[in-house]
């Protein structure tokens, strides 16, 4: 601590008050850290199942790719 920030206490009551303030700050910080820690390891919420544009596009592209591969293999080994 530097000299400007150093606090002087004249009575035991002032020390007890300071102790309570510091203790409440520590508890509040501890609660925040617990929340952040739990959020860090919490599994993400599952996305809703169903038909969305992106799932339809992905499925359609996969089907088209599979069809093109099957057609090319069919033409190659048809002989």
């Amino acid at each position: 601590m530097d000299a400007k920030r150093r606090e002087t206490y004249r009575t035991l009551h002032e020390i007890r008050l300071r102790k309570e303030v510091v203790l409440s700050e520590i508890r509040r910080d501890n609660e925040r850290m617990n929340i952040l820690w739990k959020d860090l390891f919490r599994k993400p919420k599952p996305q809703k199942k169903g038909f969305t544009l992106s799932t339809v596009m992905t499925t359609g592209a996969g089907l088209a790719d599979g069809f093109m591969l099957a057609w090319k293999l069919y033409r190659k080994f048809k002989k």
Side-chain angles (χ1 to χ4, degrees):
M1 277 187 173
D2 51 29
K4 292 180 183 178
R5 248 185 108 195
R6 178 172 264 162
E7 296 179 23
T8 56
Y9 303 102
R10 289 181 172 55
T11 64
L12 287 176
H13 181 69
E14 290 176 351
I15 294 173
R16 286 187 190 109
L17 289 177
R18 178 67 181 146
K19 180 182 174 184
E20 289 176 13
V21 169
V22 170
L23 189 59
S24 67
E25 289 174 357
I26 291 172
R27 287 183 178 147
R28 187 178 63 237
D29 289 344
N30 189 27
E31 288 175 10
R32 285 186 198 154
M33 286 177 19
N34 284 337
I35 290 170
L36 291 174
W37 184 258
K38 288 176 184 176
D39 286 345
L40 184 64
F41 294 105
R42 182 176 293 145
K43 291 181 181 179
K45 293 180 181 177
Q47 295 180 352
K48 61 180 180 177
K49 304 274 181 175
F51 293 107
T52 61
L53 182 60
S54 63
T55 57
V56 171
M57 292 290 287
T58 303
T59 304
L63 288 173
D65 189 39
F67 177 74
M68 294 290 286
L69 175 65
W71 180 252
K72 287 180 182 181
L73 290 173
Y74 171 75
R75 287 185 52 187
K76 184 175 183 177
F77 292 112
K78 161 172 110 166
K79 298 178 186 177

